[in-house]
Amino acid sequence: MKILCLGNQKGGVSKSTASLNIAYSLANTYDQKVLLVDCDSQGSSSLNLGIPIDSEDIHTLDKILEPVVLNKVQGFSWEAVKQCIYTPTYQDRERDPDNKMNWIQVSKPFGFDAIPSNLYLSVVELQMGVVGGASRRGIYQHYLKDLLDVIEANSDYDYVVMDTAPSLSSMTINALSAARDGVIVVSNTDIMSIRGVGSFIESTETVQEMNPNHRGILGILLSLYSERRTVDRSIEEWVKEFLPIPTFDTRIPETSDVKKANSSMLLVSQINKKMKKAFDDVTYEIMYAVEHPSEPIGSAKHVGGE
Ligand SMILES: Nc1ncnc2c1ncn2[C@@H]1O[C@H](COP(=O)(O)OP(=O)(O)OP(=O)(O)O)[C@@H](O)[C@H]1O
Ligand SMILES: [Mg+2]
């Protein structure tokens, strides 16, 4: 099971859009069995998948984390964890009799599963810091990793993709720590967003040092990009020259179809061919990087050449 995480402490840079569409591409173009984990209490990616996160019947990520964080139970059980895994699908599809509550009705299925989140995750994040951070320095960052270990032992997912919040909160640190196969930094071409990337890189490096066999950052994915804007091209050059991480060759274009898709509970890859191609291309780059750890990624391939 390969575990990836997308992040940037800057908000609104397309982290959720990229997480969802990369999960979609892995599942539909590359035939991988995928689990998306929404690690953001805003719940944007869960909502985008049509999961009614504020309903009491929905088992969101906080519900599985809280008893463990508060030491009410010893570790995660598969019985409890599987209640949080949802499969958005057609209403009339034959239901799994053992897993009835976990079918979510959507108009166009996405082909991957998800663990949703809601606002209560922010309370659990505080508990993590208080209970784990103070008394057992460093241990609090392993809750998500432990949860994914249970999933790995009991399921056959090929990829886990984690969407994170725009902060370096306990939950984001947990996700960075669990993402042993690589972290993807998502950024738009706004200089303010790029400036924040430096501290995100440093935090990921710290997490990597504490987790042997962690792949660290794979690269930066530029989003909301327009070839026609001179400033986008110059910021891309700046990023390639000055950031200490590779830039993926694929850039995700800016299009109003993202908002259009969101408003119909769809993903932009389902309604826009150019966007589907861009996400398929970057997903290919990511899969290649994951499977060939010794080869250079994106802009790093061209260093010293040409
Ligand atoms: N490629 C794109 N083209 C145009 N609009 C986009 C694109 N990607 C994302 N958006 C829009 O930008 C906004 C932020 O996108 P998204 O929610 O994916 O960002 P985020 O980084 O996850 O935000 P947050 O930090 O709040 O979690 C949304 O309104 C979305 O519709
Ligand atoms: Mg988001």
Side-chain angles (χ1 to χ4, degrees):
M1 188 169 89
K2 308 291 187 196
I3 308 176
L4 303 171
C5 153
L6 285 83
N8 185 340
Q9 74 221 61
K10 185 86 174 70
V13 294
S14 205
K15 296 180 292 294
S16 300
T17 305
S19 304
L20 288 163
N21 285 279
I22 288 170
Y24 182 82
S25 177
L26 280 167
N28 295 282
T29 305
Y30 301 107
D31 208 22
Q32 303 293 299
K33 190 165 161 55
V34 180
L35 174 67
L36 179 116
V37 185
D38 187 352
C39 304
D40 182 0
S41 60
Q42 296 181 97
S44 330
S45 43
S46 312
L47 287 169
N48 210 160
L49 295 173
I51 304 175
I53 52 174
D54 294 323
S55 156
E56 279 192 9
D57 299 336
I58 297 292
H59 282 250
T60 39
L61 182 58
D62 58 275
K63 290 203 172 91
I64 179 77
L65 288 172
E66 189 176 40
V68 177
V69 171
L70 295 182
N71 275 321
K72 287 186 178 156
V73 296
Q74 283 297 307
F76 299 100
S77 73
W78 175 237
E79 281 310 304
V81 172
K82 73 179 184 190
Q83 294 199 335
C84 299
I85 301 179
Y86 287 85
T87 304
T89 186
Y90 289 122
Q91 182 188 28
D92 57 358
R93 189 159 151 185
E94 198 179 314
R95 290 170 180 236
D96 174 354
D98 299 328
N99 207 9
K100 225 183 215 166
M101 58 176 280
N102 286 358
W103 292 106
I104 297 285
Q105 181 200 344
V106 289
S107 53
K108 236 178 168 184
F110 304 101
F112 60 87
D113 294 347
I115 297 185
S117 280
N118 70 9
L119 212 50
Y120 197 76
L121 187 66
S122 51
V123 176
V124 177
E125 289 191 72
L126 286 176
Q127 293 164 345
M128 270 182 199
V130 173
V131 179
S135 58
R136 295 179 296 156
R137 189 178 288 273
I139 307 277
Y140 79 94
Q141 62 169 281
H142 288 297
Y143 291 117
L144 208 46
K145 183 173 172 292
D146 294 347
L147 174 68
L148 292 179
D149 281 346
V150 173
I151 292 177
E152 183 169 30
N154 291 280
S155 69
D156 57 353
Y157 289 108
D158 299 306
Y159 272 88
V160 171
V161 177
M162 293 181 283
D163 178 24
T164 56
S167 69
L168 284 165
S169 62
S170 317
M171 205 56 221
T172 305
I173 299 293
N174 261 264
L176 288 175
S177 203
R180 62 184 178 209
D181 296 289
V183 173
I184 296 139
V185 183
V186 185
S187 183
N188 60 12
T189 46
D190 184 328
I191 195 66
M192 296 304 168
S193 309
I194 302 287
R195 280 164 66 101
V197 169
S199 47
F200 189 81
I201 296 174
E202 277 171 28
S203 305
T204 311
E205 282 171 355
T206 308
V207 165
Q208 190 187 4
E209 279 163 21
M210 290 156 76
N211 291 276
N213 305 321
H214 191 293
R215 182 75 190 275
I217 292 180
L218 297 180
I220 180 164
L221 171 61
L222 292 176
S223 187
L224 291 136
Y225 186 93
S226 169
E227 291 270 6
R228 281 174 300 177
R229 275 196 300 253
T230 319
V231 63
D232 285 20
R233 294 201 307 274
S234 18
I235 288 189
E236 181 183 11
E237 287 316 310
W238 188 91
V239 165
K240 284 180 177 167
E241 191 164 346
F242 295 108
L243 285 188
I245 55 173
T247 309
F248 286 106
D249 289 332
T250 313
R251 286 95 30 122
I252 305 299
E254 181 169 339
T255 163
S256 57
D257 275 356
V258 174
K259 281 201 175 82
K260 194 172 151 193
N262 290 355
S263 63
S264 325
M265 300 288 193
L266 291 172
L267 305 183
V268 70
S269 295
Q270 293 173 299
I271 65 163
N272 180 316
K273 284 193 180 133
K274 190 175 158 200
M275 292 297 277
K276 179 174 183 306
K277 165 127 184 28
F279 281 113
D280 282 348
D281 288 350
V282 75
T283 302
Y284 182 84
E285 284 193 75
I286 293 166
M287 290 175 77
Y288 191 88
V290 166
E291 280 154 27
H292 301 85
S294 55
E295 290 191 30
I297 299 168
S299 57
K301 291 198 291 270
H302 316 297
V303 174
E306 285 148 272

